[in-house]
Amino acid sequence: MGKKRKNLIESIAGKQLHVLAQQLYDLTLPEALTANNRLERYICQSDGLKLLYATQRVTDEVLDTLQELSAECQLVSQFQEMRRGGIMNCISGFESENRQVLHTACRDLFSDTPAEPEATAQARRELAKLALFLEGIDTGQICNAEGKKFSTMIHVGIGGSDLGPRSIYEALIPYGQKGRQVFFISNVDPDDASAVLAQVDLSTTLVNIVSKSGTTLETLTNETIVRKALQDANLDPRRHCIAVTGEGSPIDNPEEYLCSFYMYDYIGGRYSATSMVGVVMLGFFLGYKKVVEFLQGAAEMDLTAENPILRENLPLLLAMLGIWNHNFLGSPTVAVLPYSQALHRFPAHLQQCDMESNGKSVDRTGQPVTYKTGPIIWGEPGTNGQHAFYQLLHQGMEIVPVEFIGCITSQRGEDVEVAGSTSQQKLLANLLAQSLALAVGQTSDNPNKCFPGNRPSTLLLIDRLTPQTMGALLALYEAKIVFQGFAWNINSFDQEGVQLGKVLATRFLDCLSGRDKREDSIQRKFLQVALKTP
Ligand code: G6Q
């Protein structure tokens, strides 16, 4: 029997927030920004990250009521329950995955009393295996048939087995070990594998097959392509391929792989970047020590997320500001705009993590929900985006709350002064300018040059993007997504919505391959019209 949990609509605070949203038209950010030390007061700082939220359309009263909402919906205690092994991935009364949600256990390594000791013990075992494996590669004990060291890795995976790991890899490239490089193959489009294979020397390449289920069509197809390429180059795939998968999966087969690492049922794909799914590749590239720093950053953010005080709990605050904009002020989308080239794939990871988690329309008892759940997440790095879609952000008819992310110091430290300022200064000036422009707008006699202002944004500032702060940033967003799901009383940990398309793709393939010979199926007709097949 599932627990009765309040959603934001049933809560007293939720009703109050609707009233406050109506009254908010009194709040004009251009005036509010300079009053009552708002800029200094609306800051939340932890684990190397600083959130400035004075440019949100909130007042002290709104924040207090959001605090009450989070207490009424028991958001922090549900997060604690999750970290301690509660069955959070379920729909009560209906068949569902019915699992624990323990991605946090993968990084709960820095305390003598981890929240869920058994899962953390498993994480430690896998990490110890990884440390040995990496040592073997470094020393050359693990090498190719000619005794040459491995220098390259191809990471083959898709969805959660690709997006998080790839975005973190891209973010941390300057920290890579000398001579190491990583490529990714995810798409079943044959051009993806072919383009990567054209760039690598397979003789010194490790192929990391990453699939929790070990059944994903795209990954298995790409694995076959890469194995064939190895064979064509007279290389033994068993000497080059490693696997990250669920214990007992179809690819959990020691005879076919040089080494296998496990991830467990209680880690969802899109939350798996700190499990072996991300950490094997990151360990190869960054080295073990930096991977531990990355995990430590995430672990610290998980602890921050247990603080019941909204204004001190960074992920909870980000989650509640998002709910305020989405459910009470009515904005359907959120733009995540990193002013950091290193984070150029991070919005893509967040799109999956957020929309696959919270794009739901039944609650945790299977009842249809009567309020908006997950918003549409999108984004691109600034300043590039400024020359593309910012027109709509400033003057369009849709209000898009923005989550800006910026780094005070550049990662590589190489910069030059042009026209009196460095590139980093230009980047930061643009970042601050956009946030302020959205908030304050501009009046003009020319209607085409008017900016309405009052458009909400947050500014998340990181001193420097390092393995540790990247870990914190990743965990910040994971916890934000989880908190929002709890507030909407939905199951943020399954993904039934992706199944139907997979089933129908199989039926189309059956038609194309001749296994399905029916003349009158809808698939056949669709193929005839779309691809001119017989
Ligand atoms: C994520 C999803 C999904 C999954 C991929 C890959 O939460 O479950 O994106 O990660 O479908 O699955 P495998 O790792 O099983 O190949």
Side-chain angles (χ1 to χ4, degrees), residues 383-394:
T383 58
N384 305 30
Q386 287 174 210
H387 298 263
F389 51 80
Y390 278 40
Q391 166 65 40
L392 185 148
L393 300 186
H394 288 287

Side-chain angles (χ1 to χ4, degrees), residues 56-76:
Q56 284 286 333
R57 297 193 67 209
V58 290
T59 58
D60 286 346
E61 198 180 0
V62 169
L63 288 168
D64 291 344
T65 317
L66 288 170
Q67 165 81 71
E68 282 165 30
L69 176 71
S70 89
E72 266 189 85
C73 295
Q74 302 180 326
L75 303 186
V76 171

Side-chain angles (χ1 to χ4, degrees), residues 450-466:
C450 281
F451 288 66
N454 252 345
R455 300 195 166 200
S457 67
T458 50
L459 204 52
L460 184 70
L461 293 175
I462 306 169
D463 261 350
R464 186 157 179 261
L465 196 61
T466 61

Side-chain angles (χ1 to χ4, degrees), residues 433-450:
Q434 292 300 328
S435 177
L436 198 61
L438 286 169
V440 301
Q442 171 178 283
T443 52
S444 169
D445 293 339
N446 178 345
N448 202 31
K449 294 187 190 294
C450 281

